[in-house]
Amino acid sequence: MKKRNRIMLMVVGLCAVALMLVAAGCGGDDDGTSAPAPAPTEEPAPAPAEDPAPAEDPAPAEDPAPAEDPAPAEDTAPAEDPAPATAADPELLAQTSLVVLQEDVAPGLDVDGVNGAHFGVHMILETTMEGLVEYPATDQDGILTPNYDVAPDEFDPRLAESWSSVENDDGTVTWTFNLAQGVLSCAGNEFTADDVVWMFQRAKSISGASPVAWFLANVGSVLGLEVFGEDPAGKVLADSEVRKIDDYTVEVTQVNANGLFPRVLEIFALFPYDSVVMQENATEDDPWAHQYSDTENGPGFGPYCISSWQKGSEFILEANPDYYRGQPQFTTVTIRKVPQAANRVAAVQSGDADIVTSLSPQDINALRSDENVSVLSWFNNEILALGFNFAIEPWNTPEGQLIRQAIAYTLPIAEIVEADYLGDAKPWFGLSESSYFGFVPIETYAQQDLDKARELLAEAGYPNGEGLDQFGDAFQLNYVTERREVLEPVANRMKTALAEIGIDLELNPITAQAYNDRELTKRDMPLFLRDLVRPFGPDVGYTSLLFYVSTENGGLVNAGNYVNEEFDNEFFASQVTVGDERLAHLERQQVILMEELPLIPILERPSQIALRSGLTCWQTGTSNIIGYWYLTVEGSDRACTQDPRN
């Protein structure tokens, strides 16, 4: 194990306090509660927007009229068939604007800002900006589903047209990126190697509220620890890290081979800014324009530009007239905050909204029977798990593992899937999302087995649960009050099942703010239901660092204070290996987790949006964004594809 890598990750853990103050917001709330939910993410809850007034009754889009005779989604013609089986709705074909309703909108736009992990930030920045590479995706029933299980040369090109790598004699790895030419930003500035270099220089400056961009470059073995030294030169990008060869060629060098690169380049915090615009808005006190990017614009080279921004309420996006891949059908997109799920549902049913997000299983089930609405759904990275705190007895005792395993065999997962998620979920066989690179299913606890659970409790010294009452609040289950519509039935079902083996579970709903503070900062909850936090990086190793590596060795969101030296060593080994050797380390990490159970995986639930009937082609990713440039109309000439250029 290289000592340098271990130290780097330890420093990550120390400097991640700022990151973790935005860490719980890496995803999106798809279970639609009426009160504000904790901002889902991979880093903690975002600060509230300055002007939080919701638009309870959204104004209609410019062209809101619903199709009178919507074409059924199931009759969509395949892209390769020039004669679609379903005629396109002429009214929808003529529509050029969209209204999108969310439970919240971005409170700021700086990738290194305090709100960098808020799901609304991703919704905007992954539209106004663009990365060097993108995961390849295929159309699956109207969803451009990304393939996270790809090799470095299998990514789709975006701002980089091609790339290659070479391992050097000293063990470093140099990547050469050949950039796309003629790419213009909303300001009309051409994308060049200068923008890539500036992006890495800004990351290395660690001048923002949270070092998200630096963290990603560090996890990818590009930027190191010198940024934390007292010498200002340590914050200056070196040619040995990132170097401009010419206007359209740039080199990036890793300190060692690491399978998380170039994967980290697909995460929005390493999307190049339009550095000309950013430098024009820099000041002496803010040389990297954090204030500008957080309060005014996210200038990049993506398909849309910010036309207006009403803080805490609404964004209006306009298509970039010079976007290098062409123009979308929908050139104006209004993204509006409507906190009440019922109002979002009513708006898409009436035609006052074209797309709504963050809905409960019950809402989704009702909308599926509405002929004016289509529901798109896919299993991405949303989960439900039961977490344990290893700083509290009995979870940190030698018998604790047996008790956790007994609980795992007791949970009525099939009932939870069918009764509480209306069958719109599936059992989860691991502690990394099943769609992620390196995932290996482990079905040890696939079937409820009360006899096995009782045997394990007896082996632990607590037959029929006798003696467990000595541990006080250790069996107190915490979950978010604002999400009780979905989580409370699950908690009650778990309580009933555990009583059958003699375990008395105490339910303790707490506010979203308290839950975030206790999960991500205090880390003091004995038991907790987790269903919002999820990793941006679709890779088992990235997930390990985020949730399960010990805090001492760099773990970022280790809410259960889990410590396992063997596990940490397997993670470090995966950071300096590639190919089959790295996959073997990733598999061993998963085996350890499923034996020790710092969390019990319960289920995976789909990411879902509801659209006006006739709309299709949801291009998304780990952030569950909506790629408006890809949206099309069923039966139109524009196919649902990763690159629908004319």
Side-chain angles (χ1 to χ4, degrees), residues 231-246:
D231 186 354
K235 295 180 175 63
V236 177
L237 193 68
D239 284 349
S240 59
E241 295 167 323
V242 181
R243 181 168 72 101
K244 173 183 175 180
I245 305 301
D246 57 40

Side-chain angles (χ1 to χ4, degrees), residues 8-278:
M8 286 172 69
L9 289 165
M10 291 174 66
V11 173
V12 170
L14 295 173
C15 76
V17 173
L19 266 174
M20 291 180 59
L21 294 176
V22 285
C26 284
D29 176 3
D30 293 317
D31 287 330
T33 52
S34 57
T41 96
E42 79 179 7
E43 277 88 16
E50 297 174 7
D51 303 298
E56 294 290 341
D57 297 301
E62 295 178 11
D63 303 288
E68 296 180 2
D69 299 298
E74 59 269 24
D75 292 334
T76 302
E80 64 271 19
D81 187 347
T86 301
D89 178 350
E91 186 176 4
L92 192 53
L93 275 175
Q95 183 174 323
T96 60
S97 62
L98 294 171
V99 168
V100 181
L101 304 185
Q102 300 175 175
E103 64 178 350
D104 199 3
V105 294
L109 292 179
D110 186 22
V111 299
D112 285 339
V114 295
N115 300 298
H118 189 286
F119 76 96
V121 178
H122 317 150
M123 290 288 187
I124 301 299
L125 292 185
E126 294 194 37
T127 297
T128 63
M129 303 177 73
E130 188 145 312
L132 295 177
V133 300
E134 187 169 46
Y135 285 103
T138 54
D139 177 18
Q140 296 183 10
D141 298 323
I143 303 170
L144 281 173
T145 307
N147 177 12
Y148 301 136
D149 189 14
V150 293
D153 60 351
E154 294 174 334
F155 282 85
D156 275 0
R158 285 298 172 261
L159 294 181
E161 286 189 334
S162 62
W163 53 93
S164 60
S165 64
V166 60
E167 185 168 353
N168 304 311
D169 292 340
D170 61 357
T172 61
V173 179
T174 298
W175 295 77
T176 301
F177 291 89
N178 301 306
L179 308 180
Q181 301 185 28
V183 176
L184 300 180
S185 71
C186 291
N189 299 315
E190 185 181 13
F191 171 65
T192 68
D194 292 330
D195 298 298
V196 179
V197 172
W198 192 89
M199 178 263 292
F200 277 104
Q201 286 179 330
R202 187 181 198 255
K204 193 172 182 181
S205 74
I206 59 167
S207 52
S210 56
V212 179
W214 172 86
F215 168 71
L216 294 176
N218 173 262
V219 167
S221 297
V222 175
L223 299 182
L225 292 180
E226 61 277 3
V227 299
F228 300 106
E230 296 182 1
D231 186 354
K235 295 180 175 63
V236 177
L237 193 68
D239 284 349
S240 59
E241 295 167 323
V242 181
R243 181 168 72 101
K244 173 183 175 180
I245 305 301
D246 57 40
D247 283 349
Y248 306 107
T249 312
V250 64
E251 283 185 353
V252 179
T253 299
Q254 296 175 276
V255 295
N256 55 259
N258 178 344
L260 284 175
F261 192 89
R263 295 179 187 279
V264 292
L265 295 179
E266 202 271 342
I267 301 175
F268 77 98
L270 289 182
F271 286 8
Y273 280 106
D274 178 345
S275 62
V276 173
V277 171
M278 291 291 279

Side-chain angles (χ1 to χ4, degrees), residues 51-58 102-103 312-313 336-340 343:
D51 303 298
E56 294 290 341
D57 297 301
Q102 300 175 175
E103 64 178 350
S313 177
R336 188 169 295 145
K337 175 180 178 177
V338 178
Q340 301 295 331
N343 290 347

Side-chain angles (χ1 to χ4, degrees), residues 316-334:
I316 297 179
L317 307 178
E318 297 287 347
N320 178 355
D322 297 315
Y323 184 55
Y324 72 109
R325 292 198 287 160
Q327 291 297 288
Q329 174 178 342
F330 302 102
T331 55
T332 302
V333 180
T334 300

